[in-house]
Amino acid sequence: MAQPFSLAACDVVGFDLDHTLCRYNLPQSAPLIYHSFAQFLVKEKGYDKELLTVTPEDWDFCCKGLALDLEDGNFIKLADNGTVLRASHGTRMLAPEELAKEYGGKEWKYFMPDTGMAFRSGKYYFYDNYFDLPGALLCARVVDLLTKQNNGQKAFDFWKDIVAGIQHNYKMSAFKENCGIYFPEIKRDPGKYLHSCPESVKKWLQQLKNAGKILMLITSSHSDYCRLLCNHILGNDFADLFDIVITNALKPGFFSHLPSQRPFRTLENDEEQEALPSLDKPGWYSQGNAVHLYELLKKMTGKPEPKVVYFGDSMHSDIFPARHYSNWETVLILEELKGDGEWKPEEAEPLGKKGKYEGQKGKPLYSLSKKWGSFFTDSILGLENTEDSLISTWSCKRISTYSTIAIPSIEAIAELPLDHKFTRFSSDGSKTAGYYPNPPLALSSFETLTNK
């Protein structure tokens, strides 16, 4: 058995910001993200206004772990062996016979086992976080429209317009210039879109600091947006908590790039300044790389190999690169652990006065999708309801391969003693060992069946 994981044994504790330390009110933030892109496509690129109308049922399409084939407009859900478990063309799910004809139980054409397959390429795009998911719904609906307008169009070229929408709404100057919809709306009413950090988490952060841990914030958000978020969720003295703050970190490149490719930069009034040849002291920086950061951590701790743990919500940007390139311990924030069961409409928040970008609420993004099934497991085509038909998803395999542990939120561990010993994911064959406080229901059932 692998040694247990304990925060007490770590010298440095690092955090992603968005959807990790800063939790969003997803029923509000998801429609805002969707409309930031949809309005750009309609107003600037001439797409059909039908894209602007979203029903609560539409949100069921959203499921982490889907890949969009940018050439044929198909979304796919992958098994851990690279075969396709479910697929849709746009939002239309492929029937079993269509799935068999299209993919035939073979490895997906772009699949590469282990680390060989990137999350992003010119051919496909994986949706792996809550900023991405509203874009999955939008892209699926774009495919629907283009298919209808062009009599069953087979090849698609809309991705360049999506990229232009990202640039318009989220470029580095967008916050300062009030570009697009997203930043102006968050500025107008942050409390509507952001959850304040629970007192238990604030106390836990202070407890880590009092225990002599170096605390870091490493976010791909720009410094002006980072400051707004942290002021709101942690208070105006948030900077006192962190020894090192790195914004515009451009993850995963922060972990994979050489120092010469991605030097650290100082900031002045949220503007990036000159590149630094090395990182000599704690403080607030932009861009950078894990190699120079680790050199600084050695100096700060006085240890040749300080032990670092990093908390994040994205396998693509946080967990995989921190483990693969830097060999850090990794804690995956996985809200799907909260929503593994069937969602019932009465669990939805009560409808108050609707805001500009609200529609009637659908299911929470982390809850089980009726279209796509469990994020963790699924049935092999043609073998439904038989014991040997269950298979874990590619996303699930990545969790147990690259995460030390997985938790639904930081709050879930904030009241535990720092020397609490967590069972880590390990090579002993268990797919459930590292989930805290409990493994997902679908995976528990899977292990029960496979261990019979």
Side-chain angles (χ1 to χ4, degrees):
M1 285 290 290
Q3 287 292 311
F5 166 70
S6 168
L7 285 167
C10 298
D11 304 297
V12 183
V13 185
F15 300 93
D16 172 47
L17 180 57
D18 296 282
H19 301 287
T20 299
L21 261 185
C22 177
R23 310 306 294 275
Y24 285 75
N25 181 8
L26 294 176
Q28 300 288 0
S29 64
L32 177 62
I33 294 167
Y34 177 94
H35 284 289
S36 72
F37 288 116
Q39 292 218 13
F40 176 82
L41 292 183
V42 172
K43 290 182 177 178
E44 304 296 328
K45 299 295 181 180
Y47 282 73
D48 196 299
K49 288 181 181 177
E50 191 179 322
L51 290 175
L52 300 177
T53 305
V54 189
T55 68
E57 292 73 30
D58 289 333
W59 290 105
D60 182 62
F61 184 82
C62 293
C63 178
K64 272 192 200 169
L66 302 182
L68 166 60
D69 187 319
L70 298 175
E71 292 176 309
D72 62 20
N74 283 3
F75 286 79
I76 62 160
K77 179 183 181 182
L78 278 179
D80 58 11
N81 61 8
T83 57
V84 177
L85 292 165
R86 304 192 193 198
S88 72
H89 182 69
T91 63
R92 184 186 68 81
M93 300 303 294
L94 268 57
E97 55 274 14
E98 290 179 286
L99 190 68
K101 183 180 177 184
E102 185 78 26
Y103 299 104
K106 301 189 297 287
E107 275 190 4
W108 184 46
K109 57 188 174 183
Y110 300 121
F111 181 76
M112 295 174 70
D114 303 322
T115 61
M117 186 166 66
F119 266 80
R120 312 276 153 84
S121 86
K123 303 289 187 185
Y124 60 85
Y125 188 95
F126 271 97
Y127 292 89
D128 105 309
N129 63 70
Y130 294 129
F131 270 144
D132 276 350
L133 279 187
L137 174 59
L138 179 64
C139 288
R141 298 186 72 208
V142 167
V143 170
D144 290 347
L145 284 171
L146 293 176
T147 302
K148 188 167 68 176
Q149 289 168 2
N150 300 309
N151 298 317
Q153 179 174 338
K154 292 289 193 292
F156 295 88
D157 190 30
F158 62 86
W159 190 248
K160 64 183 186 301
D161 296 331
I162 300 293
V163 172
I166 295 171
Q167 177 64 13
H168 174 71
N169 280 283
Y170 301 101
K171 62 187 176 184
M172 193 166 183
S173 61
F175 185 91
K176 186 178 289 185
E177 296 171 1
N178 279 325
C179 285
I181 288 171
Y182 182 81
F183 288 129
E185 182 63 16
I186 297 277
K187 282 187 197 178
R188 186 188 66 79
D189 191 0
K192 177 177 171 183
Y193 299 101
L194 309 173
H195 291 305
S196 291
C197 229
E199 283 304 313
S200 61
V201 174
K202 292 179 185 177
K203 287 177 183 174
W204 178 77
L205 291 169
Q206 193 60 56
Q207 188 184 1
L208 286 167
K209 198 160 181 66
N210 294 344
K213 311 300 179 189
I214 293 170
L215 265 57
M216 309 186 298
L217 193 59
I218 307 175
T219 174
S220 291
S221 288
H222 299 301
S223 56
D224 44 14
Y225 186 52
C226 171
R227 190 174 287 105
L228 178 144
L229 296 182
C230 289
N231 279 337
H232 184 81
I233 67 166
L234 291 169
N236 296 337
D237 58 350
F238 76 90
D240 296 340
L241 279 172
F242 300 101
D243 301 278
I244 300 167
V245 176
I246 300 165
T247 55
N248 194 27
L250 302 168
K251 297 176 292 182
F254 178 86
F255 295 102
S256 62
H257 282 25
L258 297 170
S260 58
Q261 296 172 295
R262 191 67 63 73
F264 280 96
R265 295 180 181 275
T266 55
L267 284 160
E268 198 171 298
N269 297 322
D270 295 319
E271 298 286 343
E272 291 182 345
Q273 304 299 305
E274 76 282 355
L276 299 173
S278 62
L279 200 60
D280 298 323
K281 60 184 179 182
W284 190 312
Y285 299 95
S286 191
Q287 297 198 40
N289 60 87
V291 174
H292 278 168
L293 172 62
Y294 198 63
E295 291 302 315
L296 174 61
L297 296 176
K298 289 178 187 178
K299 286 196 335 190
M300 292 175 70
T301 59
K303 295 183 177 182
E305 293 185 350
K307 189 170 183 179
V308 184
V309 60
Y310 188 63
F311 288 71
D313 70 296
S314 170
M315 182 58 66
H316 165 66
S317 300
D318 302 318
I319 303 303
F320 168 73
R323 171 61 58 84
H324 181 68
Y325 297 107
S326 299
N327 200 31
W328 291 357
E329 300 277 17
T330 52
V331 178
L332 175 65
I333 304 297
L334 189 65
E335 288 198 45
E336 281 68 18
L337 289 174
K338 296 194 301 188
D340 195 34
E342 192 75 34
W343 177 74
K344 297 177 179 60
E346 60 266 24
E347 294 172 20
E349 294 180 6
L351 287 173
K353 187 177 177 184
K354 289 198 177 88
K356 191 173 178 184
Y357 301 108
E358 294 177 57
Q360 188 182 349
K361 304 296 186 301
K363 71 174 187 68
L365 291 188
Y366 56 75
S367 64
L368 192 69
S369 165
K370 290 178 182 174
K371 282 180 181 285
W372 294 104
S374 170
F375 171 74
F376 301 97
T377 65
D378 214 332
S379 300
I380 300 171
L381 181 65
L383 298 177
E384 286 83 354
N385 302 319
T386 59
E387 286 188 6
D388 59 349
S389 71
L390 278 177
I391 188 167
S392 59
T393 61
W394 184 69
S395 298
C396 185
K397 182 180 181 182
R398 304 272 290 187
I399 292 169
S400 59
T401 304
Y402 298 110
S403 312
T404 303
I405 61 171
I407 58 178
S409 65
I410 291 176
E411 194 177 1
I413 65 167
E415 294 184 2
L416 297 174
L418 296 185
D419 61 358
H420 179 87
K421 290 179 169 54
F422 295 93
T423 304
R424 60 171 72 227
F425 288 112
S426 60
S427 55
D428 64 2
S430 171
K431 297 181 189 300
T432 61
Y435 291 105
Y436 181 89
N438 298 300
L441 296 172
L443 218 47
S444 299
S445 306
F446 177 81
E447 285 226 320
T448 301
L449 288 172
T450 52
N451 289 336
K452 275 185 178 179

